[in-house]
């Protein structure tokens, strides 16, 4: 399932042309942190954002709802995600910002982070620290979910064949361990995002609809 930089670039630009530009989408398409000729869009993050907006817009249209009002997501959370009660009182708050939240950072049903390492040449402490941070996020999310009786899905997107399969397979095993023990609810690997992520979003949409009806 893992992509290399060439495959990820091709998938991103295909989605950008066929969905984003053709339909006038508005989600963020951030750039990577590379310099020189390597500077370009953050391909995997862009893929996730385009697919999210496409899935939510399609759902809204099919159900007579308005995207951005009735159906929405935060594609670039600038605040910490937090939980409030019916009176608006703060019940719990995360320690780190994430790369996306549905439907938003207040009472999210899902929060996710995207890790793409297409230009990595060595498996260093930065990547290892990222895995450890995700595990700590899982502990925190599980604690807050239990204390507030809110089911918050923690989703982890990772990509780059060389990074995870050739250089960091032991840490890839740690990620699978995190999935098995419940520190993340879903791990989406590379091009798996094309089929799996829309299905997860539809599950979230259904859960949100039940929650709204319950109120």
């Amino acid at each position: 399932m893992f992509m290399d930089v060439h495959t990820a670039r091709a998938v991103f630009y295909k989605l950008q042309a066929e969905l984003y530009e053709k339909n006038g989408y508005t989600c963020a398409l951030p750039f990577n942190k590379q310099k020189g000729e390597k500077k370009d869009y953050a391909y995997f993050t862009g893929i996730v954002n385009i697919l999210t907006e496409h899935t939510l817009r399609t759902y809204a249209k099919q159900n007579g709802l308005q995207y951005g009002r009735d159906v929405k997501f935060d594609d670039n959370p600038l605040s910490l995600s937090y939980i409030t009660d019916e009176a608006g009182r703060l019940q719990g708050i995360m320690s780190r910002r994430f790369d996306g939240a549905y439907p938003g950072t207040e009472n999210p049903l899902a929060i996710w982070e995207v890790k793409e390492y297409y230009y990595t040449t060595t498996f260093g402490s930065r990547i290892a620290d990222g895995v450890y941070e995700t595990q700590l996020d899982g502990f925190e999310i599980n604690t807050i979910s239990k204390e507030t009786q809110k089911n918050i899905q923690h989703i982890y997107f990772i990509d780059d064949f060389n990074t995870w399969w050739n250089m960091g397979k032991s840490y890839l095993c740690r990620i699978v361990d995190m999935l098995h023990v419940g520190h993340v609810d879903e791990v989406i690997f590379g091009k798996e995002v094309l089929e799996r992520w829309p299905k997860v979003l539809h599950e979230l949409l259904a859960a949100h609809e039940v929650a709204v009806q319950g109120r």
Side-chain angles (χ1 to χ4, degrees):
M1 290 295 180
F2 286 124
M3 299 183 287
D4 60 18
V5 64
H6 306 293
T7 304
R9 182 188 295 119
V11 171
F12 169 80
Y13 278 111
K14 183 174 187 292
L15 291 177
Q16 185 189 41
E18 295 180 357
L19 295 180
Y20 189 89
E21 294 177 348
K22 182 179 180 180
N23 298 303
Y25 286 178
T26 58
C27 65
L29 298 180
F31 283 85
N32 60 29
K33 298 179 181 179
Q34 303 298 317
K35 297 179 180 180
E37 62 181 16
K38 293 181 179 179
K39 185 174 180 60
D40 201 345
Y41 290 103
Y43 302 129
F44 202 38
T45 302
I47 291 169
V48 171
N49 285 352
I50 293 172
L51 289 175
T52 305
E53 181 167 351
H54 177 67
T55 303
L56 298 188
R57 281 187 180 274
T58 301
Y59 177 88
K61 184 177 181 180
Q62 292 174 344
N63 290 274
L65 303 173
Q66 182 178 330
Y67 176 78
R69 184 193 67 187
D70 306 311
V71 180
K72 59 185 178 179
F73 78 108
D74 194 329
D75 57 5
N76 184 28
L78 298 177
S79 68
L80 301 176
S81 297
Y82 59 99
I83 303 298
T84 59
D85 62 15
E86 294 181 355
R89 293 170 299 199
L90 184 65
Q91 301 296 300
I93 188 167
M94 311 303 171
S95 298
R96 295 198 311 129
R97 291 185 298 180
F98 290 86
D99 295 315
Y102 170 80
T105 54
E106 181 178 3
N107 295 324
L109 290 179
I111 48 183
W112 57 87
E113 53 186 321
V114 184
K115 300 294 186 184
E116 52 185 282
Y117 298 110
Y118 300 120
Y119 298 101
T120 299
T121 57
T122 59
F123 196 100
S125 60
R126 182 174 66 91
I127 304 173
D129 289 348
V131 174
Y132 181 58
E133 289 172 351
T134 299
Q135 185 170 3
L136 293 179
D137 289 336
F139 278 109
E140 184 175 64
I141 292 167
N142 288 345
T143 299
I144 292 175
S145 295
K146 183 177 180 180
E147 291 177 348
T148 62
Q149 299 299 304
K150 301 284 188 179
N151 182 21
I152 307 168
Q153 296 290 305
H154 181 202
I155 302 163
Y156 194 32
F157 296 87
I158 63 172
D159 199 24
D160 185 52
F161 178 85
N162 187 50
T163 300
W164 294 108
W165 196 253
N166 290 336
M167 297 189 298
K169 197 172 294 183
S170 61
Y171 280 89
L172 181 60
C173 291
R174 293 295 300 121
I175 291 172
V176 175
D177 285 342
M178 285 193 287
L179 180 63
H180 285 168
V181 299
H183 295 151
V184 289
D185 296 289
E186 185 92 22
V187 181
I188 295 180
F189 305 90
K191 63 184 177 181
E192 184 186 20
V193 67
L194 298 172
E195 294 186 2
R196 180 57 187 162
W197 183 225
K199 292 179 181 178
V200 173
L201 286 170
H202 278 291
E203 293 171 1
L204 292 170
L205 287 161
H208 194 188
E209 184 177 351
V210 170
V212 170
Q213 291 173 349
R215 286 202 298 268

